[in-house]
Amino acid sequence: MNEVKRWKLQCEGKEIVSILNAKKYNALYVDNLEQAKEKVLELIPKGSSIALGGSVTLNEMDLVNTFREGDYNFYDRYQDLPFPEIVEIMRQSMVADYLVTSTNAITRKGELVNMDCSGNRAAGMIFGPKKVIVIAGANKIVENLEEAEKRIKRVAIMNAKRINHKTPCVETGFCQDCSVPGRVCNYLSVVNNGGKFEGRFTVIVVGDEVGY
Ligand code: SF4
């Protein structure tokens, strides 16, 4: 990435960490995904049960393989299994010790905004897993909820393409507010404040362009 662009993302990432800490998340800043991964592994004790939210950011960190191969109880919904079995793993993962996820947008008011296909990530961020670790690039920072929704819709189209869902947007590149079975935009969630259960949320902000 262009150095000036990276510098600006670093500035924005550091600023949002202050905003998030004021909103009662445990937020911290890192420069890159390698450092983010080190922090995640520091935070999660061996033997913990772990759920992952679907995410390009987490894919870039290779966390599926790390948790498969490590000394963890990993709710592995990335196996090649029939969909009802995957849904069962998603249900069980609602009581994981840790949910590790990214987020679709962070507003400058300290809100975490997400759009889900199945709802497991949005639901788990709100309640269920004992702790939630969010990893997000500074490219996901937006001004407000309105901008977050616009960002999310743009990202949803790319996610539909990435996971090969049969949706109209994958044909055209634009949202048509579809009602097909593969629709990826089914559940919109907003976390307004991280303080309800003290220490539950850790947000690792990466001063770089990460994920969509
Ligand atoms: S509502 Fe349908 S068409 Fe629009 S972005 Fe979501 S999946 Fe694509």
Side-chain angles (χ1 to χ4, degrees):
M1 182 194 293
N2 174 283
E3 278 312 305
V4 175
K5 205 171 163 188
R6 189 192 307 277
W7 164 80
K8 184 69 171 85
L9 284 175
Q10 289 173 343
C11 295
E12 295 199 13
K14 288 170 187 169
E15 185 202 43
I16 205 78
V17 163
S18 307
I19 293 170
L20 291 169
N21 278 320
K23 295 293 290 279
K24 306 290 183 188
Y25 307 86
N26 293 329
L28 55 98
Y29 172 86
V30 296
D31 277 325
N32 54 52
L33 276 186
E34 291 73 33
Q35 291 174 8
K37 186 168 179 175
E38 277 173 30
K39 288 284 175 202
V40 169
L41 297 179
E42 272 171 38
L43 287 166
I44 303 180
K46 293 279 161 56
S48 300
S49 59
I50 302 173
L52 281 190
S55 154
V56 172
T57 301
L58 303 192
N59 291 349
E60 288 174 5
M61 295 168 78
D62 195 28
L63 283 176
V64 171
N65 286 325
T66 301
F67 291 137
R68 270 183 185 159
E69 291 160 13
D71 182 14
Y72 305 102
N73 176 14
F74 178 40
Y75 292 105
D76 188 357
R77 64 188 181 82
Y78 298 95
Q79 303 170 75
D80 187 14
L81 292 172
F83 188 59
E85 291 182 40
I86 298 294
V87 173
E88 184 54 30
I89 295 170
M90 287 176 179
R91 289 184 61 251
Q92 291 169 7
S93 71
M94 289 292 107
V95 292
D97 294 325
Y98 286 83
L99 169 65
V100 181
T101 182
S102 189
T103 188
N104 293 132
I106 305 177
T107 73
R108 287 192 199 281
K109 282 189 170 175
E111 297 148 320
L112 309 182
V113 192
N114 287 283
M115 179 72 83
D116 261 17
C117 178
S118 301
N120 56 301
R121 180 182 61 145
M125 285 177 83
I126 292 168
F127 191 82
K130 288 179 190 158
K131 303 241 179 197
V132 180
I133 300 175
V134 180
I135 305 119
N139 52 306
K140 297 192 172 179
I141 299 166
V142 296
E143 277 309 312
N144 51 38
L145 289 176
E146 195 181 339
E147 270 194 26
E149 284 199 48
K150 282 186 194 156
R151 175 175 212 287
I152 280 170
K153 191 54 79 171
R154 205 173 60 243
V155 167
I157 296 164
M158 293 191 279
N159 273 326
K161 177 86 177 161
R162 172 176 69 90
I163 59 181
N164 203 21
H165 275 210
K166 294 189 176 11
T167 57
C169 58
V170 166
E171 300 300 321
T172 64
F174 296 93
C175 176
Q176 286 153 60
D177 195 16
C178 69
S179 291
V180 299
R183 178 180 165 114
V184 297
C185 313
N186 295 315
Y187 304 99
L188 180 66
S189 72
V190 181
V191 180
N192 292 115
N193 189 294
K196 174 65 185 174
F197 300 104
E198 196 180 340
R200 182 169 182 263
F201 270 101
T202 300
V203 184
I204 302 171
V205 179
V206 186
D208 203 348
E209 187 168 327
V210 177
Y212 292 160

